[in-house]
Amino acid sequence: MNHTYVIIMAGGVGTRFWPFSRSTYPKQFHDVLGTGRTLLQQTADRFDGICPPENIYIVTSDKYKDLCQQQLPQLSDDQILCEPVARNTAPCIAYACYKIAERDPQANIVVAPADHIILKQDEFQRTIRTALAATKDNDVLVTLGIQPSRPDTGYGYIQYIADDESGSEVKKVKTFTEKPHLELAKQFVESGEFVWNAGIFVWNVQSICKAFNEYLPEVAEIFTEGKSIYYTGDEQAFVDKAYSLCKSISIDNGVMEKADNVYVVLSDFGWSDLGTWKSLYEVSDKSDELNVIDGHIMLYDTRNCIIKTPKDRLVVVNGLDGYIVAEYDNVLMICRKEEEQKVKEFVADAKERGVEFV
């Protein structure tokens, strides 16, 4: 029996990717890169050879169950876990892990977000196998840390203990720091002791359940009660009630920052969390004028832009430098790349004008 499992977290909305990412159709269900596969499908594809298809579980909002089934038809109903409300990552991970524990007490689990980009597939799989080997028979909680290429203030940072004698890529974690200010980020990168927190976790099911018991006992108690209900017709009713009792808390705040058995695997596999238009621009192929285009587009005297528009509409752009031009459904957005943080403001204002925009 293959004891490796994958949990894909696919419940977020990702408003910074508006107008593509909407509450009705978030970015993980879009073919953002123009590859013919959505971000969710690419995430599932990434684990081919790591675990069998029947060991992949998706945790998503009950609003997106149909989208998950359409995009990953190979999954059974039992593999699509529907959250009635968003409660951040700790309850989401607890639900999936306690359900898997009921089926396989020897499970060794990878947890990954559905909306990340990984450009070096072989290196990613090698890194995951390194992490799985570390967690298989050991009571440790492992996260993947990305070698930082710049002092980015948009990521969390992990400080590790540089024990060079062993030569292992698996290092003991010293501290977690949430999105630091620029000066601190510069110090982190210069020190060589910090990596970006990729939000990808690996552990065996006994270790994570033990950690929930210790650090989030109320969450552990809620999902332990489902032991005899998982994989039955009563599961959804149980989960709906369980989520009404859960507080909203991330796995980082709830468990990883408190535990003393946390390790990081130093990683470099072309990772981006694809959180913003600018991050999509950075990972995409660019023209000689440094434009990223996806659509039926004619450009004149235009550079440093990312333009993503419907294929059935001819779009002509003249004289732009450093802009995002994005059209999807009933919304066209034109915004300076450097001011992309205003997208959340746009979404809030659009919401006031009518829900059909968001």
Side-chain angles (χ1 to χ4, degrees):
M1 181 180 180
N2 188 319
H3 295 291
T4 303
Y5 291 75
V6 172
I7 298 166
I8 299 174
M9 299 181 287
V13 176
T15 50
R16 289 180 299 173
F17 242 110
W18 188 77
F20 277 83
S21 199
R22 314 274 187 105
S23 57
T24 52
Y25 207 90
K27 67 177 176 181
Q28 60 267 29
F29 302 110
H30 285 275
D31 175 12
V32 173
L33 293 174
T35 61
R37 300 287 280 169
T38 67
L39 292 176
L40 174 64
Q41 289 170 326
Q42 287 188 321
T43 304
D45 294 347
R46 207 166 283 147
F47 293 98
D48 282 353
I50 297 280
C51 80
E54 62 271 20
N55 287 11
I56 291 179
Y57 286 70
I58 311 290
V59 189
T60 191
S61 162
D62 54 11
K63 293 183 290 193
Y64 310 140
K65 183 180 183 183
D66 290 348
L67 280 169
C68 288
Q69 287 176 323
Q70 287 163 25
Q71 296 196 2
L72 297 173
Q74 69 272 31
L75 301 191
S76 69
D77 282 352
D78 270 328
Q79 291 170 268
I80 300 175
L81 283 55
C82 294
E83 299 181 292
V85 287
R87 286 287 183 264
N88 212 319
T89 51
C92 149
I93 289 169
Y95 172 20
C97 287
Y98 279 89
K99 178 169 176 166
I100 290 168
E102 184 53 29
R103 172 155 288 181
D104 184 356
Q106 296 178 63
N108 205 12
I109 299 171
V110 182
V111 180
D115 55 358
H116 288 186
I117 283 182
I118 283 153
L119 300 174
K120 303 176 191 169
Q121 168 82 355
D122 291 348
E123 179 60 16
F124 173 76
Q125 289 206 346
R126 190 195 68 76
T127 306
I128 289 291
R129 286 194 170 96
T130 298
L132 286 165
T135 58
K136 184 172 180 285
D137 299 311
N138 298 304
D139 180 20
V140 294
L141 308 175
V142 170
T143 184
L144 302 192
I146 307 298
Q147 298 289 2
S149 56
R150 59 189 182 279
D152 199 303
T153 57
Y155 297 139
Y157 285 73
I158 300 168
Q159 184 182 24
Y160 60 91
I161 297 167
D163 171 20
D164 290 326
E165 290 156 38
S166 70
S168 170
E169 300 160 272
V170 186
K171 308 285 187 186
K172 185 94 165 62
V173 169
K174 194 172 177 183
T175 60
F176 286 87
T177 305
E178 273 304 301
K179 304 172 180 174
H181 59 74
L182 186 58
E183 282 310 308
L184 195 54
K186 282 179 181 170
Q187 289 173 30
F188 286 174
V189 174
E190 284 164 13
S191 76
E193 295 175 11
F194 289 79
V195 285
W196 289 334
N197 185 352
I200 300 170
F201 307 101
V202 185
W203 43 54
N204 69 59
V205 77
Q206 301 301 329
S207 294
I208 190 59
C209 290
K210 180 180 164 192
F212 274 119
N213 273 322
E214 193 165 342
Y215 304 111
L216 286 175
E218 65 283 11
V219 172
E221 189 180 338
I222 288 165
F223 289 101
T224 300
E225 280 181 18
K227 197 168 164 51
S228 60
I229 303 168
Y230 298 129
Y231 303 98
T232 74
D234 297 325
E235 180 177 328
Q236 194 60 53
F238 163 76
V239 169
D240 290 351
K241 182 175 177 233
Y243 268 73
S244 71
L245 303 172
C246 282
K247 64 181 179 183
S248 181
I249 186 167
S250 72
I251 194 74
D252 293 279
N253 292 149
V255 174
M256 303 301 279
E257 291 167 15
K258 296 174 181 171
D260 57 7
N261 60 335
V262 179
Y263 288 76
V264 61
V265 179
L266 306 185
S267 312
D268 184 10
F269 40 69
W271 171 88
S272 168
D273 74 344
L274 208 61
T276 64
W277 282 105
K278 205 168 161 191
S279 62
L280 175 58
Y281 175 82
E282 283 164 2
V283 300
S284 299
D285 293 334
K286 297 168 189 67
S287 69
D288 291 345
E289 292 76 29
L290 301 179
N291 294 309
V292 173
I293 58 172
D294 182 5
H296 192 186
I297 299 160
M298 290 165 55
L299 298 182
Y300 301 87
D301 187 27
T302 292
R303 58 190 61 81
N304 303 311
C305 290
I306 177 164
I307 303 169
K308 190 170 172 64
T309 56
K311 301 270 193 294
D312 59 357
R313 183 195 296 277
L314 176 62
V315 175
V316 182
V317 179
N318 178 66
L320 287 189
D321 187 350
Y323 273 79
I324 303 159
V325 179
E327 182 182 1
Y328 181 73
D329 198 11
N330 54 355
V331 177
L332 168 65
M333 182 187 77
I334 302 169
C335 172
R336 285 192 63 81
K337 242 177 25 210
E338 295 309 317
E339 295 181 351
E340 67 166 3
Q341 69 278 5
K342 289 190 172 177
V343 173
K344 284 200 167 184
E345 195 182 311
F346 303 157
V347 172
D349 292 346
K351 212 170 205 169
E352 288 182 15
R353 291 200 174 205
V355 289
E356 72 272 15
F357 297 118
V358 294

